């Protein structure tokens, strides 16, 4: 049954890649990435990666924009190239070079992405015009 009322949503389905990409984009460059749930609403909905807009950008009813942080517990900070360089230079057993830096930073990013994938919640809250609304979370890999 479809509805204009977002409180009929009981569960949101997301891909792990969409949530990881949104978190990374927001933390690296404040991209405004969200997981968007587009009306009409029903009990089980898909939330897809999207860049948030203003209410006037959409018709009525407006889609739900869920921050990616709502889908995970305490995501760690995203590794930065500067942080990776600092770690290499602080290690007396390693001589710094650009290739080592690139490889170590790629590894640090992959480890961060894996840690996000390991921290999905089973239930979250989304903001609706009627107030906060609890939903179950299903993750597609």
């Amino acid at each position: 049954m479809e509805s204009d009322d977002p409180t009929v949503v009981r569960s949101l389905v997301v891909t792990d890649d969409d949530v990881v990409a949104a978190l990374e984009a927001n933390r690296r460059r404040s991209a405004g990435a969200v997981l968007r749930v587009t009306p009409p609403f029903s009990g089980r909905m898909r939330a897809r990666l999207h860049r948030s807009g203003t209410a006037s950008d959409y018709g009525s009813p407006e889609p739900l924009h869920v921050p990616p942080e709502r889908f995970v517990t305490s995501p760690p900070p995203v590794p930065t190239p500067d942080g990776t360089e600092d770690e290499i230079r602080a290690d007396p057993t390693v001589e710094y070079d650009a290739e080592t830096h690139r490889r170590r930073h790629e590894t640090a990013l992959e480890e961060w992405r894996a840690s996000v994938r390991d921290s999905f919640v089973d239930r979250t809250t989304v903001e609706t015009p009627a107030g906060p609304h609890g939903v179950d979370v299903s993750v597609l890999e």
Side-chain angles (χ1 to χ4, degrees):
M1 181 163 147
E2 295 182 345
S3 173
D4 288 347
D5 179 6
T7 63
V8 302
V9 177
R10 293 183 316 279
S11 68
L12 290 179
V13 178
V14 296
T15 66
D16 58 353
D17 286 342
D18 280 356
V19 173
V20 169
L23 275 171
E24 189 170 346
N26 290 346
R27 293 190 171 197
R28 290 174 94 179
R29 59 186 173 282
S30 301
V34 295
L35 286 292
R36 182 174 73 173
V37 182
T38 306
F41 301 106
S42 62
R44 184 173 169 93
M45 297 288 298
R46 178 78 185 268
R48 298 177 191 271
L49 180 61
H50 189 73
R51 188 166 178 191
S52 68
T54 62
S56 63
D57 293 339
Y58 307 99
S60 182
E62 295 176 20
L64 299 177
H65 285 176
V66 184
E69 293 81 7
R70 296 273 174 95
F71 294 99
V72 295
T73 57
S74 306
V78 177
T80 64
D82 289 345
T84 302
E85 180 179 352
D86 291 346
E87 288 174 15
I88 295 168
R89 292 191 186 278
D91 185 344
T93 64
V94 177
E95 186 173 325
Y96 178 86
D97 63 62
E99 183 59 23
T100 299
H101 186 185
R102 183 191 62 74
R103 281 194 321 272
R104 287 252 185 119
H105 190 63
E106 285 176 358
T107 299
L109 284 173
E110 285 306 314
E111 289 171 353
W112 177 83
R113 291 172 184 136
S115 74
V116 171
R117 286 182 174 91
D118 289 339
S119 65
F120 277 92
V121 298
D122 294 325
R123 191 158 175 81
T124 194
T125 303
V126 297
E127 294 301 323
T128 72
H133 175 66
V135 294
D136 293 329
V137 175
S138 296
V139 181
L140 301 175
E141 296 178 9

